[in-house]
Amino acid sequence: MLPAIGGFEENLGRIEHFVEEAISSGVDVIVFPELTISGYTWDEKTLERGARFFEEVVRKKLLRLSREGQIVIVTGTPRIVLGKLRNSLVIFKKKRELLFYDKTHLFRGEKDVFEPGEYFLVFSHRGVIFGTLICYEIGFPEISRILTLKGSKVILSSFAFGKERGHTYDIATRARAVENGVFLVASSMCGKGFVEFVGRTRIVAPNGKVLRELETSEGVIFEDIDPDIVYHYRYDEEGDSHAYLKNYRAHMYSLQKGRL
């Protein structure tokens, strides 16, 4: 998807359209790109208006759609916390209370407009634990490992990733899946907006295989997955499994007197 910068009503309308398409296809969880509500920008005034639009309009509409469609909706939005802008994912889980994840590692000009988050988020849906991360954070392997150790079988990630760094996106999304024996869902912006975006929305299996991908056009991809196959790739020392978690020596990675 390519959300319009400052096109709040338009962006919400397209979110609703894609959610309704997903509901009609029996989807349980749908994920949108980074800052879908506002469009991706470093313009503080646009982001502040987007944050207000989220609170005044989006919150109520998507919560209703989540409840009525029995679907979890994960979308990117700016929001204001204690007077500071944050780059956030909001999770609508069919209840009145929403879950928020604030981007903890900021990219380039984001550092001038956003306050970083302080925690990583996992949540449960239908007995499956999901982790969340945003764009630039794909390059920090520790985040995906922490989400995995917190029980995540699926990591939901939202992107506004530049096309000129497309090789990094390709390698990192697959590597995080392989390293952790986890499904990784990457919802990405496409086309030309703030920059030319990489597109390539994809669903990656725990062995690093790309199960589905939408390269350059807007649209929705779906995949039925069995979350429990992660155990094979984490712990079985046979076949195509790497068993990294079985042989993970956690005590080796603790900070001791400032050294690893």
Side-chain angles (χ1 to χ4, degrees):
M1 181 175 169
L2 181 61
I5 297 172
F8 313 126
E9 290 281 2
E10 176 188 349
N11 296 337
L12 176 58
R14 292 161 75 206
I15 288 171
E16 291 176 306
H17 168 76
F18 286 131
V19 170
E20 287 165 358
E21 181 181 344
I23 291 170
S24 67
S25 299
V27 168
D28 295 303
V29 180
I30 186 169
V31 189
F32 289 89
E34 181 178 14
L35 294 175
T36 311
I37 299 300
S38 60
Y40 185 83
T41 180
W42 297 344
D43 182 73
E44 192 168 352
K45 292 189 182 301
T46 300
L47 293 165
E48 287 173 346
R49 294 202 315 271
R52 289 194 295 271
F53 182 78
F54 169 79
E55 290 294 338
E56 295 168 2
V57 180
V58 176
R59 177 189 287 261
K60 183 177 180 180
K61 283 194 174 183
L62 292 191
L63 192 56
R64 176 188 55 78
L65 193 55
S66 174
R67 284 200 303 266
E68 291 178 356
Q70 293 295 293
I71 188 172
V72 173
I73 304 169
V74 181
T75 191
T77 185
R79 70 182 187 120
I80 297 174
V81 180
L82 299 176
K84 300 286 187 178
L85 276 166
R86 301 222 176 174
N87 181 341
S88 305
L89 285 182
V90 56
I91 294 95
F92 296 85
K93 277 188 64 182
K94 304 176 290 184
K95 299 179 181 179
R96 291 188 179 277
E97 292 186 7
L98 309 183
L99 299 175
F100 292 97
Y101 172 63
D102 302 321
K103 192 174 186 178
T104 59
H105 294 63
L106 301 175
F107 178 72
R108 297 185 184 177
E110 292 175 359
K111 296 189 290 291
D112 297 326
V113 290
F114 293 114
E115 186 84 1
E118 302 92 8
Y119 62 89
F120 302 120
L121 175 71
V122 300
F123 67 92
S124 179
H125 174 61
R126 296 187 63 177
V128 178
I129 297 179
F130 294 82
T132 55
L133 61 81
I134 303 175
C135 200
Y136 186 54
E137 297 179 322
I138 198 71
F140 296 86
E142 300 89 343
I143 298 176
S144 296
R145 178 54 52 90
I146 288 168
L147 296 175
T148 299
L149 295 177
K150 286 178 175 287
S152 300
K153 296 178 181 178
V154 183
I155 293 177
L156 307 175
S157 50
S158 293
F159 288 86
F161 212 92
K163 187 176 181 179
E164 65 182 0
R165 295 182 299 116
H167 66 289
T168 301
Y169 173 88
D170 177 49
I171 293 168
T173 52
R174 296 172 66 192
R176 298 299 85 84
V178 169
E179 292 162 352
N180 297 289
V182 71
F183 286 96
L184 188 134
V185 179
S187 181
S188 181
M189 286 193 187
C190 62
K192 194 166 186 178
F194 183 79
V195 297
E196 188 169 3
F197 296 109
V198 69
R200 303 179 74 178
T201 283
R202 54 175 39 177
I203 301 168
V204 187
N207 61 358
K209 179 181 178 182
V210 178
L211 300 175
R212 299 276 179 185
E213 184 171 78
L214 188 62
E215 291 195 5
T216 57
S217 59
E218 292 191 319
V220 184
I221 54 174
F222 311 112
E223 182 70 20
D224 291 322
I225 64 170
D226 175 6
D228 288 336
I229 72 167
V230 300
Y231 296 114
H232 167 67
Y233 291 101
R234 293 175 180 181
Y235 303 111
D236 291 345
E237 293 186 302
E238 60 184 23
D240 65 342
S241 169
H242 41 66
Y244 287 137
L245 289 194
K246 179 177 181 179
N247 297 300
Y248 181 65
R249 303 180 68 196
H251 69 281
M252 296 287 293
Y253 312 114
S254 300
L255 276 173
Q256 297 179 354
K257 296 182 180 180
R259 297 180 180 180
L260 282 174

